[in-house]
Structures are given as structure tokens and as C-alpha cells.
Amino acid sequence: MAQATAQHVSESHTFEIRNLRAGVETKRGFKEILKGVNLTIHTGEIHAIMGPNGSGKSTLAYTLTGHPKYEVESGQALLDGVDILKLKPYERARKGLFLSMQAPVEVPGVSMTNFMRTAVTEVQGHAPGLRQWVSEMSDAMKRLRIDPKFAQRSVNEGFSGGEKKRSEILQLELLKPKFAIFDEVDSGLDIDALRIVAEGINRAEKNDHFGALLVTHYTRILRYIHPDYVHVFADGHFVRTGGPELADELEETGYDRYLPQGKSESALA
Amino acid sequence: MMTQAHQTDAAGFRRSGTGRKVLSAEQKARLAAAQANASEAQRIEKARQKDREDREKAAQKSTSPTAMSSAVSDDAATADQVKVPHFDPKHPYQFPALMPSSADRAVRSFDPSDFATPSHSMDEWRYAPINDLQDFFSPFEASGTTQVTAAFEDGTQLAAQTPANKGTSSTPVTFSRLSSDQLAHSPAGTVGKPTDLPSALEWQASKHSGRFWWLNVTGDVTKPIIIRIHGTSNKLDAIHIVITLKPATSAQVILLHTGVASLAEGVEVDAGQASNLNVTSIQQWDDGSRHLGNQRLHVGQDAQVQHNVVSLSGKIIRLRMDPDFGGPQGFLNMLGIYFADPHAYMEHRTMVVHNHPGCKSRVIYKGALEGRGARSAWVGNALILPRAPKTDSYELNRNLVLSPGAIANSEPQLEIENGDIVGAGHASSVGRFDAEQLFYLESRGIPEVEARKLVVRGFFDELISQIGIESVQKNLMSVIDRRLAHGESAAMTEVLEDN
């Protein structure tokens, strides 16, 4: 495992989204949500994506990871030059893409430990040694202040909001992706849980050196995770890019000026 | 107050010629609903009143004999006041609250001639493939081709019952086949009565050929007991198993069905006061086997019975469970799992009767169906009688249809005749894989096929882990794992292509 970490540090990867257009099939026909998204992320960079409700931030996260609900019209998402949009979700994960979900799904009867070991085995291509696995998992759980009993519980079943998000970060630490997308990782967290989750992301970033897309409504989490870039996402594409100072500006002015004239945010949703 | 309300009610049902104005259909419906509520309220009030009086009577009986006579006259006065309309079988919906319950109208008898021959028009036979079961519907002679043996889980033998060890504490459990002499002095036939034609015919055939076995628990039995029921031919056979627990005893019993059989089976379980029983019926038949069973359970006062059913293979399995209670505060926990193959039929009916106050029942059945022509039916009923206040019941059935062409029927029923209950819940669903669950697993690098297997495995593991006997749980999960590995090539590919 130490070898794998060292490998990551020495390697540099690029994730490039080119003119991505995607949407969903509705009763009234196809509805385009992503209207030409362009973004390039390198290993070690943290990009915060901020924007109003319904602007398509979550759609971007799901489209990149291959949720069956979203259809790609055109464009590419190149991970080290390979277009992952043609791959199945599990193949994207094996290429090194990770999504921390806003609302992680419950899977009754499947224990966390069984699920995580299966996932790590599939992503690495071989089963981790049992002793090494047990110690690695219990260390990661300790750092995230997760109850040891949690390993025997069913995936996300009966977890509190904080537990669900900490479980996502645990998976991040064990799966060691090249690029991670965090979809509103700060939603439903109290101050302490937010700090633990943010610390986890920072630690994983430092150890495993991934590039990150941090989707959020609020600037609060950016006090703990310092982004290299802040992007404003509105009406299906990026409308402005800046440094960390842009987040402070958004806090002051809100998103209103980025919305198309005469449209409230709910009309876009 | 009640009398007043009742007089107005009765007027509503008078026909023409009374000079009353003609009501619109809507007004009539509203009136009927109000009357139904009123008569339901009367009925509940009457049942409660009777309970109160019973309690008072019991209390007074112990204090003074003179007080009793006044209680009797009170009773007569109430009977005078509450005039419950007469139930007319020709118009069962005239007073909805007075419809007969399943306990009133269902036949219970050891005599096959009391039952009509099953047909699809009969409610309880609407799902079953009765054309393939005709031989179960007429008198037959038991072929005797089913072997019944019992041993502890670790292989040690159980003692047979002898006059010497009968009921002694040194032998907490005995197992014997009953001779016709012993049968007359055994508890066989004391737990309810057959509830359908095949079970009445099973009783007759078992009696005629001496196909009775009795597991008698008279102390605490720590090691699980396995009763192996192994079929060796397709010739129609009958067996009858009786399991009794003396008060304050405990045991874990597994009925393991294997081999090839056409079996009519009766099981009677009598769990004595404050006893603790865990009984599991596993159906792991070879292809082509048919199994009709009636399991009648009696949960004693303060007793705890966990009843598990696991149906994994066989051509036709139809099991009907008829549990009731022997006193207050009994707890019945029923779990069921079924995994139907292509062209297999599995039906489970759980007909719980709450006949004592303060009892609790839980029925949770989960099934998966795999492949074309796989069919299942679950019918659950909880009948809560007026004399069972503070009842707490819940029934749930979930079905996972793994591939196209499989049909799952799910029918939860409730007959609540008592307003004074803790709860009577039910839930039922038939569904396919949850796309969100699969995406979550896939987004962690787990391929579609593996993700589906994990979901199905989890679906079953959730219940199997509650069976409570480690070795049984392990065996069942390995059977399911084998099935899933096997299904990958056939049914699973079908699923994947279909989506």
C-alpha cells in the first residue's frame, strides 16, 4: 500500500472536461442541463464549484461518474487522455474516479466491511491481505472517529447524516482515487462533523495526492478546505473562475447576478 | 345514549312504505358508513364491557359470593340495552362490521368430506397450480417413502420415549414414531384442526399408515435438534410431526426437507407456558418435488416462539401456517425466505389468530424470483379477535423479481375486530433492483453483476442472520451464494440483457 501511495505522489494526472452537454429524458422530451462545461483539473488541485440550486452542479457530478439517469449529448471527459464518458460506472471507478454522494444510498444486508473490501479488491485488481486490511480499515476509522461497530452494520442503513458523510470519506481514504468529486459533502453536517470530514479530505489529499472537485452551496467548508480555484456554475455552465477570494465575494453578493435575466433560481430547477 | 343511536340506525334500513323521503345514492352511502361506524362502536363497546365484567366477576368471586349475583343482573341489563342487528348471510355487507371473520367462516375439520375440492375460484387456492396437485385432493394411502429421522446437530442420537424416561429431567427431549396405541395418548391432533382438504387428507392417511412422529421437550435442550425429512420417491406420502414443549422449557428445532417427494405434511407445535422455541422449516427439495404442508402452532402464555421458513428448491411448495395463542403475553416471531427457480411455485400463507390479550406477532417474509416461470405467493393474515385487546401485530412481505417472466403475488390481510390494540401494521412490495443502490455500488468499482449479487445476498442475509442458529445461517448463505454463482450465467445474463 505504501508503494501505491508513493506512486501516486510521483505521478501527475489530468482530468479534462471538454464542452460537455448532458441532460435527462423527461415526459416532455429531452431536457438539457449541462450546456457546454469546460474544466481542466490536475493532480493536487482543489476546485470549488459554487452556484445556485438547480444550476446543474449535481448533474455534473453524476454525469462524470456515469449515473444511468443522465444522458451525454456531446463532449468529452478525458482522464489522462482517455474519454471516460464511454465507460461503465465501475470502469470509471477503476480508472481512479471517486464520487462522494450528497445522499449515500442504503444497501440493506450488505455489511460495510464486506462492501469496502469488495470495492478495494475490484479497484486494485487484487484482494488486500487480511491482516493489512483490518489494520488499515481500523486506523482510518479511528481517524474519522467512526464507531468500530459500524463495520458490521449494513451500508449506510440507519446512519446519521454525519455518519454517512464520514463513511464516504473512509471509502475515499481506502480507494485512493486519482480524482475525487465531492457533491455537497457539507450538507447535513454539524460543526464538529464538518471539521472531521474536512480534515479527512485534507489528509487524503496530502497522502494520496488527488485532484478534487468540491461542489458546494456555502463558503463555510472552504474555511477548512482551501481551494486553488473557485468556479461559479450557473445555468449549466461555468460563468466565472477565480481564486479563493471569489468565494468571499460570493458570500457578500450571492448568485443573483449570474442568473439569466428574469429567471428565478426555481425556474431553472 | 347507545340505544338512541341504534334506533335511528335501524330506521335507515327500513324499506319503502314508511313515508320517509327517498335518499340519493350518495346520501345512502354516507348513512351506511355512519351506521357501520355506530355498530362497530357498539360491538367494541360490548366486547370491552364484557371484559370489564369478566374481570370484576373474577375479582368478586374471590371476595364474596353475594356480589356475584349483582354482576349477573348487570350483565342481563347490558344485553337488553345493546341490540346488535341480526347478521343475514345473504346480505353480508348490510352491516360491514358484522361480516363474519375468517375464523367464523373457515372450515376446521379432521374429516375431508367437510371441505370442498380446491378450485381456482376459491380464494385460498387462487394462486396454486391445482392441476398439478389433483392427487393431493382425494383420499390416498401414504407410500411411506419419506424417511424421518432426528439427531442433534452434532450427530448424537435422541433418546426414544419409554415409560421409564417419560417426562424425567435426565432426558430433556425424546423423539419417537408413534404406534396407534401411543397415538391415542399423544398430543397429536390437539393443536387446532386441518384448515384445508389436503391437510385433512394428510391426517387421515398418516393415521391409517401410522405416520406420526413426536418430539417431546420436557427440559432445556441446549443443542439444536435436526429432524431430517428425506424423500426417496415421487409416490404420494403423508407424515405428521408433533413438537411439544412443556412449560418453561426451551429448544431449537430444524425440520430439514431434502430428496425427491410428493409430500402432504402436517406439523403441530405446542409451546407450553413460558417456553422458548426456535423452529425452522427448510425446504431444499430436489427438482420435481411437491410439498403441501399445514403447520399449526400454539404459543402458550408468556411463551416465545420463533418460526422460520426457508424454501430454496422444489417444484411446488405450498405451506400454510396457522398459529394462535394459548394465553396472554405470548410472542410469535415468524421469518420466511424463499428463492424460486424458473418454473418453481412457492406459496406461503401465515394466518395468525390473536385470541388472547397482550400478545405480539411479527411476520416478515422475503422472496426472490429468478428466471422465466418462477412464481411465488405470500398471503398473510392477522385476525385480532374482540377478546384480544392490547394486541401488537405486524406483517411484511418483500419480493425481488430478478428476471423477466417471474411473477410474485403478495397479499397482506388484516381482520381487526378490536379497537383496543397496540398496533396492526402491514407492508408489502414487489420490485426489481433499485437503480440507485446498484449505481452506488458500481461507483465504488464493483461491476454490475457483482453489485446485483451483493444486493440479493444482502436481501436474504438481513433475515437469515436473524434465524439464530449459527450453523443453519452459514449453510443457508452458502446455498444462496452457490445459487447466485450459478445464476450468473443463466438468469443474471437475462437480467442484464433486459435492462
Side-chain angles (χ1 to χ4, degrees):
Chain A
M1 199 50 54
Q3 206 183 354
T5 313
Q7 224 173 16
H8 272 292
V9 175
S10 61
E11 280 174 18
S12 184
H13 303 281
T14 310
F15 188 41
E16 194 182 353
I17 306 166
R18 280 190 196 162
N19 205 22
L20 177 60
R21 288 178 173 271
V24 288
E25 203 60 60
T26 69
K27 275 177 200 156
R28 286 167 293 172
F30 186 78
K31 180 172 183 266
E32 188 178 66
I33 301 172
L34 301 182
K35 301 167 183 174
V37 178
N38 289 289
L39 183 69
T40 303
I41 310 170
H42 297 101
T43 298
E45 294 174 355
I46 296 178
H47 294 247
I49 299 183
M50 307 191 64
N53 286 326
S55 56
K57 302 188 303 297
S58 290
T59 300
L60 177 62
Y62 279 123
T63 305
L64 292 176
T65 46
H67 192 289
K69 194 174 138 190
Y70 301 97
E71 268 178 54
V72 175
E73 282 176 283
S74 63
Q76 288 177 310
L78 305 168
L79 205 164
D80 292 337
V82 178
D83 189 2
I84 57 153
L85 294 179
K86 292 180 178 69
L87 302 178
K88 292 190 180 291
Y90 73 90
E91 293 169 323
R92 301 182 196 198
R94 287 175 181 188
K95 289 267 179 231
L97 201 61
F98 178 86
L99 170 65
S100 163
M101 288 190 200
Q102 189 182 344
V105 184
E106 299 184 359
V107 190
V110 179
S111 72
M112 274 313 287
T113 170
N114 188 7
F115 160 61
M116 305 264 270
R117 195 149 194 263
T118 309
V120 170
T121 305
E122 295 290 354
V123 167
Q124 290 181 349
H126 60 90
L130 194 60
R131 193 179 297 172
Q132 185 200 346
W133 165 254
V134 169
S135 77
E136 196 181 349
M137 176 135 166
S138 74
D139 286 351
M141 281 168 64
K142 242 177 253 164
R143 286 196 298 268
L144 289 163
R145 270 156 271 179
I146 295 172
D147 187 337
K149 272 183 239 143
F150 161 101
Q152 296 310 319
R153 284 165 67 185
S154 293
V155 175
N156 293 323
E157 198 181 44
F159 287 18
S160 70
E163 280 177 319
K164 281 186 182 175
K165 294 296 165 70
R166 275 185 276 176
S167 140
E168 296 286 285
I169 304 308
L170 177 65
Q171 293 171 43
L172 168 79
E173 290 203 58
L174 294 171
L175 291 172
K176 306 182 195 309
K178 290 174 189 155
F179 291 95
I181 304 167
F182 301 92
D183 188 14
E184 298 194 21
V185 74
D186 49 348
S187 70
L189 294 184
D190 60 34
I191 307 276
D192 292 324
L194 180 68
R195 211 183 46 238
I196 292 169
V197 163
E199 277 170 15
I201 294 174
N202 287 331
R203 187 171 49 242
E205 221 291 308
K206 202 171 135 219
N207 292 338
D208 305 325
H209 227 57
F210 52 74
L213 259 184
L214 194 65
V215 175
T216 181
H217 281 296
Y218 303 107
T219 52
R220 200 178 59 176
I221 193 168
L222 303 181
R223 279 183 233 152
Y224 301 99
I225 301 172
H226 304 294
D228 300 294
Y229 301 94
V230 175
H231 307 274
V232 181
F233 199 78
D235 197 21
H237 60 290
F238 290 112
V239 291
R240 202 176 154 197
T241 293
E245 71 289 345
L246 180 55
D248 301 328
E249 188 193 316
L250 287 169
E251 184 84 325
E252 293 284 313
T253 60
Y255 299 118
D256 247 10
R257 48 192 278 236
Y258 301 108
L259 291 171
Q261 204 116 58
K263 276 192 181 176
S264 76
E265 62 166 58
S266 60
L268 289 166
Chain B
M1 204 46 193
M2 293 296 286
T3 322
Q4 194 70 38
H6 170 68
Q7 280 167 352
T8 336
D9 282 358
F13 280 88
R14 265 182 222 140
R15 299 294 156 113
S16 57
T18 57
R20 294 180 59 221
K21 63 176 178 177
V22 179
L23 298 173
S24 74
E26 196 194 342
Q27 282 170 319
K28 274 184 195 162
R30 211 178 293 145
L31 197 62
Q35 282 154 0
N37 280 340
S39 53
E40 172 68 17
Q42 276 180 4
R43 236 158 61 91
I44 291 165
E45 186 49 42
K46 198 186 174 199
R48 284 198 185 134
Q49 182 68 26
K50 197 168 176 306
D51 275 347
R52 275 197 291 275
E53 280 157 12
D54 285 349
R55 273 199 297 275
E56 275 166 27
K57 254 189 256 175
Q60 283 162 355
K61 206 180 265 178
S62 55
T63 52
S64 72
T66 44
M68 223 176 86
S69 59
S70 75
V72 169
S73 63
D74 270 3
D75 199 15
T78 349
D80 237 18
Q81 271 175 17
V82 182
K83 282 182 193 154
V84 179
H86 183 68
F87 174 72
D88 179 357
K90 283 181 191 155
H91 302 283
Y93 297 98
Q94 193 172 22
F95 306 103
L98 288 177
M99 278 176 65
S101 74
S102 60
D104 300 329
R105 60 174 188 264
V107 181
R108 301 271 184 278
S109 173
F110 290 102
D111 183 358
S113 65
D114 288 341
F115 294 95
T117 306
S119 74
H120 279 300
S121 61
M122 290 159 73
D123 196 41
E124 61 262 54
W125 292 98
R126 57 191 287 201
Y127 301 118
I130 51 178
N131 289 341
D132 295 336
L133 294 169
Q134 288 302 324
D135 46 340
F136 284 90
F137 300 154
S138 48
F140 65 94
E141 189 150 338
S143 65
T145 51
T146 312
Q147 298 156 358
V148 180
T149 54
F152 287 108
E153 189 193 24
D154 59 13
T156 51
Q157 292 301 305
L158 275 87
Q161 182 162 312
T162 62
N165 68 19
K166 194 176 177 183
T168 58
S169 56
S170 60
T171 318
V173 58
T174 58
F175 183 78
S176 327
R177 183 167 178 178
L178 299 175
S179 68
S180 51
D181 274 359
Q182 290 166 319
L183 181 62
H185 302 100
S186 82
T190 59
V191 182
K193 293 175 180 174
T195 49
D196 54 24
L197 179 63
S199 58
L201 289 167
E202 170 272 310
W203 173 264
Q204 296 298 339
S206 293
K207 211 168 173 183
H208 186 255
S209 305
R211 307 280 292 155
F212 284 84
W213 285 263
W214 181 18
L215 183 81
N216 187 12
V217 178
T218 52
D220 282 329
V221 185
T222 46
K223 288 186 286 186
I225 301 158
I226 302 180
I227 302 178
R228 284 172 209 281
I229 297 150
H230 185 75
T232 58
S233 98
N234 262 325
K235 290 190 191 121
L236 194 53
D237 198 7
I239 60 167
H240 199 93
I241 312 255
V242 183
I243 299 169
T244 57
L245 274 82
K246 284 259 156 59
T249 61
S250 64
Q252 296 170 304
V253 184
I254 298 146
L255 296 163
L256 180 60
H257 301 88
T258 55
V260 178
S262 291
L263 181 66
E265 182 191 42
V267 176
E268 290 180 59
V269 175
D270 189 359
Q273 187 172 344
S275 63
N276 191 331
L277 171 67
N278 184 330
V279 58
T280 306
S281 179
I282 301 174
Q283 288 67 244
Q284 220 175 321
W285 296 109
D286 290 347
D287 286 350
S289 296
R290 298 174 302 156
H291 178 195
L292 295 194
N294 182 204
Q295 305 203 354
R296 304 195 286 273
L297 295 90
H298 194 58
V299 182
Q301 180 175 344
D302 295 313
Q304 285 201 24
V305 172
Q306 179 164 345
H307 180 270
N308 312 307
V309 169
V310 183
S311 297
L312 293 173
S313 53
K315 186 183 170 208
I316 300 173
I317 295 173
R318 183 184 188 273
L319 298 180
R320 176 180 164 131
M321 274 58 73
D322 282 288
D324 68 359
F325 293 86
Q329 308 300 332
F331 177 32
L332 171 70
N333 190 14
M334 304 179 85
L335 299 179
I337 290 156
Y338 46 93
F339 196 169
D341 274 328
H343 305 293
Y345 176 79
M346 291 180 176
E347 175 174 337
H348 300 90
R349 308 178 81 87
T350 55
M351 315 308 259
V352 183
V353 176
H354 278 274
N355 51 345
H356 281 277
C359 292
K360 182 173 164 182
S361 68
R362 292 287 177 270
V363 179
I364 300 177
Y365 270 63
K366 289 172 90 172
L369 295 92
E370 173 187 63
R372 228 163 268 287
R375 288 193 302 137
S376 77
W378 173 83
V379 178
N381 188 31
L383 167 61
I384 303 171
L385 295 174
R387 62 176 187 270
K390 306 290 178 220
T391 287
D392 182 0
S393 84
Y394 186 77
E395 47 183 357
L396 174 146
N397 176 230
R398 299 236 177 280
N399 295 281
L400 192 53
V401 179
L402 303 181
S403 52
I407 298 171
N409 298 288
S410 180
E411 204 182 291
Q413 303 170 350
L414 277 171
E415 292 179 277
I416 307 171
E417 305 191 319
N418 188 324
D420 181 18
I421 58 170
V422 176
H426 68 285
S428 149
S429 71
V430 177
R432 306 187 62 177
F433 282 106
D434 178 359
E436 296 297 325
Q437 271 181 1
L438 292 179
F439 174 69
Y440 187 74
L441 297 174
E442 283 183 60
S443 77
R444 300 308 185 241
I446 302 170
E448 250 170 301
V449 174
E450 290 301 316
R452 279 167 202 271
K453 274 196 240 173
L454 267 183
V455 170
V456 178
R457 206 181 179 280
F459 180 78
F460 284 121
D461 192 36
E462 213 182 10
L463 268 205
I464 287 178
S465 62
Q466 290 177 43
I467 286 178
I469 305 170
E470 191 84 19
S471 61
V472 173
Q473 291 174 193
K474 241 180 164 168
N475 281 342
L476 292 177
M477 280 321 289
S478 69
V479 172
I480 284 169
D481 283 341
R482 278 204 300 277
R483 282 277 289 278
L484 290 174
H486 165 77
E488 193 182 334
S489 47
M492 284 293 183
T493 4
E494 207 178 347
V495 185
L496 296 177
E497 281 164 5
D498 187 64
N499 281 356

mmCIF file with all atom_site columns, all heavy atoms in Angstrom, chain B residues 325-337:
data_model
loop_
_atom_site.group_PDB
_atom_site.id
_atom_site.type_symbol
_atom_site.label_atom_id
_atom_site.label_alt_id
_atom_site.label_comp_id
_atom_site.label_asym_id
_atom_site.label_entity_id
_atom_site.label_seq_id
_atom_site.pdbx_PDB_ins_code
_atom_site.Cartn_x
_atom_site.Cartn_y
_atom_site.Cartn_z
_atom_site.occupancy
_atom_site.B_iso_or_equiv
_atom_site.pdbx_formal_charge
_atom_site.auth_seq_id
_atom_site.auth_comp_id
_atom_site.auth_asym_id
_atom_site.auth_atom_id
_atom_site.pdbx_PDB_model_num
ATOM 1  N N   . PHE B 1 325 ? -52.697 -18.431 20.012 1.00 0.00 ? 325 PHE B N   1
ATOM 2  C CA  . PHE B 1 325 ? -52.058 -18.272 21.316 1.00 0.00 ? 325 PHE B CA  1
ATOM 3  C C   . PHE B 1 325 ? -52.817 -19.040 22.390 1.00 0.00 ? 325 PHE B C   1
ATOM 4  O O   . PHE B 1 325 ? -54.027 -19.239 22.289 1.00 0.00 ? 325 PHE B O   1
ATOM 5  C CB  . PHE B 1 325 ? -51.990 -16.784 21.690 1.00 0.00 ? 325 PHE B CB  1
ATOM 6  C CG  . PHE B 1 325 ? -51.060 -16.001 20.794 1.00 0.00 ? 325 PHE B CG  1
ATOM 7  C CD1 . PHE B 1 325 ? -51.514 -15.474 19.582 1.00 0.00 ? 325 PHE B CD1 1
ATOM 8  C CD2 . PHE B 1 325 ? -49.735 -15.821 21.136 1.00 0.00 ? 325 PHE B CD2 1
ATOM 9  C CE1 . PHE B 1 325 ? -50.654 -14.769 18.751 1.00 0.00 ? 325 PHE B CE1 1
ATOM 10 C CE2 . PHE B 1 325 ? -48.868 -15.110 20.316 1.00 0.00 ? 325 PHE B CE2 1
ATOM 11 C CZ  . PHE B 1 325 ? -49.330 -14.589 19.118 1.00 0.00 ? 325 PHE B CZ  1
ATOM 12 N N   . GLY B 1 326 ? -52.088 -19.470 23.420 1.00 0.00 ? 326 GLY B N   1
ATOM 13 C CA  . GLY B 1 326 ? -52.714 -20.235 24.491 1.00 0.00 ? 326 GLY B CA  1
ATOM 14 C C   . GLY B 1 326 ? -52.931 -19.411 25.746 1.00 0.00 ? 326 GLY B C   1
ATOM 15 O O   . GLY B 1 326 ? -53.429 -19.910 26.742 1.00 0.00 ? 326 GLY B O   1
ATOM 16 N N   . GLY B 1 327 ? -52.515 -18.150 25.711 1.00 0.00 ? 327 GLY B N   1
ATOM 17 C CA  . GLY B 1 327 ? -52.679 -17.290 26.880 1.00 0.00 ? 327 GLY B CA  1
ATOM 18 C C   . GLY B 1 327 ? -52.071 -15.944 26.594 1.00 0.00 ? 327 GLY B C   1
ATOM 19 O O   . GLY B 1 327 ? -51.482 -15.742 25.524 1.00 0.00 ? 327 GLY B O   1
ATOM 20 N N   . PRO B 1 328 ? -52.216 -14.990 27.525 1.00 0.00 ? 328 PRO B N   1
ATOM 21 C CA  . PRO B 1 328 ? -51.711 -13.640 27.272 1.00 0.00 ? 328 PRO B CA  1
ATOM 22 C C   . PRO B 1 328 ? -50.181 -13.578 27.179 1.00 0.00 ? 328 PRO B C   1
ATOM 23 O O   . PRO B 1 328 ? -49.493 -14.485 27.653 1.00 0.00 ? 328 PRO B O   1
ATOM 24 C CB  . PRO B 1 328 ? -52.191 -12.838 28.496 1.00 0.00 ? 328 PRO B CB  1
ATOM 25 C CG  . PRO B 1 328 ? -53.098 -13.729 29.253 1.00 0.00 ? 328 PRO B CG  1
ATOM 26 C CD  . PRO B 1 328 ? -52.848 -15.136 28.832 1.00 0.00 ? 328 PRO B CD  1
ATOM 27 N N   . GLN B 1 329 ? -49.691 -12.488 26.594 1.00 0.00 ? 329 GLN B N   1
ATOM 28 C CA  . GLN B 1 329 ? -48.269 -12.141 26.557 1.00 0.00 ? 329 GLN B CA  1
ATOM 29 C C   . GLN B 1 329 ? -47.399 -13.121 25.786 1.00 0.00 ? 329 GLN B C   1
ATOM 30 O O   . GLN B 1 329 ? -46.199 -13.201 26.021 1.00 0.00 ? 329 GLN B O   1
ATOM 31 C CB  . GLN B 1 329 ? -47.683 -11.980 27.986 1.00 0.00 ? 329 GLN B CB  1
ATOM 32 C CG  . GLN B 1 329 ? -48.453 -11.036 28.892 1.00 0.00 ? 329 GLN B CG  1
ATOM 33 C CD  . GLN B 1 329 ? -48.526 -9.614  28.363 1.00 0.00 ? 329 GLN B CD  1
ATOM 34 O OE1 . GLN B 1 329 ? -47.634 -9.187  27.637 1.00 0.00 ? 329 GLN B OE1 1
ATOM 35 N NE2 . GLN B 1 329 ? -49.587 -8.897  28.661 1.00 0.00 ? 329 GLN B NE2 1
ATOM 36 N N   . GLY B 1 330 ? -47.971 -13.863 24.866 1.00 0.00 ? 330 GLY B N   1
ATOM 37 C CA  . GLY B 1 330 ? -47.144 -14.716 24.013 1.00 0.00 ? 330 GLY B CA  1
ATOM 38 C C   . GLY B 1 330 ? -46.493 -13.877 22.924 1.00 0.00 ? 330 GLY B C   1
ATOM 39 O O   . GLY B 1 330 ? -47.022 -12.838 22.529 1.00 0.00 ? 330 GLY B O   1
ATOM 40 N N   . PHE B 1 331 ? -45.325 -14.328 22.445 1.00 0.00 ? 331 PHE B N   1
ATOM 41 C CA  . PHE B 1 331 ? -44.645 -13.613 21.360 1.00 0.00 ? 331 PHE B CA  1
ATOM 42 C C   . PHE B 1 331 ? -44.322 -14.592 20.241 1.00 0.00 ? 331 PHE B C   1
ATOM 43 O O   . PHE B 1 331 ? -43.616 -15.574 20.443 1.00 0.00 ? 331 PHE B O   1
ATOM 44 C CB  . PHE B 1 331 ? -43.371 -12.934 21.885 1.00 0.00 ? 331 PHE B CB  1
ATOM 45 C CG  . PHE B 1 331 ? -42.574 -12.244 20.792 1.00 0.00 ? 331 PHE B CG  1
ATOM 46 C CD1 . PHE B 1 331 ? -43.199 -11.675 19.692 1.00 0.00 ? 331 PHE B CD1 1
ATOM 47 C CD2 . PHE B 1 331 ? -41.191 -12.161 20.881 1.00 0.00 ? 331 PHE B CD2 1
ATOM 48 C CE1 . PHE B 1 331 ? -42.465 -11.038 18.688 1.00 0.00 ? 331 PHE B CE1 1
ATOM 49 C CE2 . PHE B 1 331 ? -40.445 -11.521 19.883 1.00 0.00 ? 331 PHE B CE2 1
ATOM 50 C CZ  . PHE B 1 331 ? -41.080 -10.962 18.789 1.00 0.00 ? 331 PHE B CZ  1
ATOM 51 N N   . LEU B 1 332 ? -44.866 -14.299 19.081 1.00 0.00 ? 332 LEU B N   1
ATOM 52 C CA  . LEU B 1 332 ? -44.615 -15.151 17.917 1.00 0.00 ? 332 LEU B CA  1
ATOM 53 C C   . LEU B 1 332 ? -43.857 -14.333 16.886 1.00 0.00 ? 332 LEU B C   1
ATOM 54 O O   . LEU B 1 332 ? -44.329 -13.295 16.425 1.00 0.00 ? 332 LEU B O   1
ATOM 55 C CB  . LEU B 1 332 ? -45.956 -15.620 17.329 1.00 0.00 ? 332 LEU B CB  1
ATOM 56 C CG  . LEU B 1 332 ? -45.877 -16.332 15.983 1.00 0.00 ? 332 LEU B CG  1
ATOM 57 C CD1 . LEU B 1 332 ? -45.220 -17.693 16.141 1.00 0.00 ? 332 LEU B CD1 1
ATOM 58 C CD2 . LEU B 1 332 ? -47.265 -16.490 15.387 1.00 0.00 ? 332 LEU B CD2 1
ATOM 59 N N   . ASN B 1 333 ? -42.679 -14.817 16.526 1.00 0.00 ? 333 ASN B N   1
ATOM 60 C CA  . ASN B 1 333 ? -41.855 -14.117 15.541 1.00 0.00 ? 333 ASN B CA  1
ATOM 61 C C   . ASN B 1 333 ? -41.677 -15.036 14.341 1.00 0.00 ? 333 ASN B C   1
ATOM 62 O O   . ASN B 1 333 ? -41.051 -16.079 14.450 1.00 0.00 ? 333 ASN B O   1
ATOM 63 C CB  . ASN B 1 333 ? -40.500 -13.780 16.178 1.00 0.00 ? 333 ASN B CB  1
ATOM 64 C CG  . ASN B 1 333 ? -39.685 -12.845 15.309 1.00 0.00 ? 333 ASN B CG  1
ATOM 65 O OD1 . ASN B 1 333 ? -40.213 -12.251 14.364 1.00 0.00 ? 333 ASN B OD1 1
ATOM 66 N ND2 . ASN B 1 333 ? -38.405 -12.720 15.605 1.00 0.00 ? 333 ASN B ND2 1
ATOM 67 N N   . MET B 1 334 ? -42.273 -14.681 13.216 1.00 0.00 ? 334 MET B N   1
ATOM 68 C CA  . MET B 1 334 ? -42.198 -15.558 12.040 1.00 0.00 ? 334 MET B CA  1
ATOM 69 C C   . MET B 1 334 ? -41.342 -14.908 10.961 1.00 0.00 ? 334 MET B C   1
ATOM 70 O O   . MET B 1 334 ? -41.590 -13.782 10.548 1.00 0.00 ? 334 MET B O   1
ATOM 71 C CB  . MET B 1 334 ? -43.595 -15.810 11.470 1.00 0.00 ? 334 MET B CB  1
ATOM 72 C CG  . MET B 1 334 ? -44.558 -16.395 12.477 1.00 0.00 ? 334 MET B CG  1
ATOM 73 S SD  . MET B 1 334 ? -46.196 -16.653 11.752 1.00 0.00 ? 334 MET B SD  1
ATOM 74 C CE  . MET B 1 334 ? -45.968 -18.254 11.006 1.00 0.00 ? 334 MET B CE  1
ATOM 75 N N   . LEU B 1 335 ? -40.333 -15.656 10.505 1.00 0.00 ? 335 LEU B N   1
ATOM 76 C CA  . LEU B 1 335 ? -39.491 -15.179 9.411  1.00 0.00 ? 335 LEU B CA  1
ATOM 77 C C   . LEU B 1 335 ? -39.620 -16.154 8.258  1.00 0.00 ? 335 LEU B C   1
ATOM 78 O O   . LEU B 1 335 ? -39.716 -17.357 8.465  1.00 0.00 ? 335 LEU B O   1
ATOM 79 C CB  . LEU B 1 335 ? -38.025 -15.140 9.841  1.00 0.00 ? 335 LEU B CB  1
ATOM 80 C CG  . LEU B 1 335 ? -37.631 -14.251 11.010 1.00 0.00 ? 335 LEU B CG  1
ATOM 81 C CD1 . LEU B 1 335 ? -36.139 -14.395 11.277 1.00 0.00 ? 335 LEU B CD1 1
ATOM 82 C CD2 . LEU B 1 335 ? -37.965 -12.807 10.714 1.00 0.00 ? 335 LEU B CD2 1
ATOM 83 N N   . GLY B 1 336 ? -39.607 -15.635 7.058  1.00 0.00 ? 336 GLY B N   1
ATOM 84 C CA  . GLY B 1 336 ? -39.685 -16.524 5.904  1.00 0.00 ? 336 GLY B CA  1
ATOM 85 C C   . GLY B 1 336 ? -38.802 -16.040 4.777  1.00 0.00 ? 336 GLY B C   1
ATOM 86 O O   . GLY B 1 336 ? -38.667 -14.839 4.555  1.00 0.00 ? 336 GLY B O   1
ATOM 87 N N   . ILE B 1 337 ? -38.171 -16.991 4.097  1.00 0.00 ? 337 ILE B N   1
ATOM 88 C CA  . ILE B 1 337 ? -37.326 -16.669 2.957  1.00 0.00 ? 337 ILE B CA  1
ATOM 89 C C   . ILE B 1 337 ? -37.653 -17.648 1.847  1.00 0.00 ? 337 ILE B C   1
ATOM 90 O O   . ILE B 1 337 ? -37.767 -18.851 2.108  1.00 0.00 ? 337 ILE B O   1
ATOM 91 C CB  . ILE B 1 337 ? -35.837 -16.822 3.341  1.00 0.00 ? 337 ILE B CB  1
ATOM 92 C CG1 . ILE B 1 337 ? -35.439 -15.727 4.311  1.00 0.00 ? 337 ILE B CG1 1
ATOM 93 C CG2 . ILE B 1 337 ? -34.938 -16.797 2.116  1.00 0.00 ? 337 ILE B CG2 1
ATOM 94 C CD1 . ILE B 1 337 ? -34.259 -16.084 5.149  1.00 0.00 ? 337 ILE B CD1 1
#
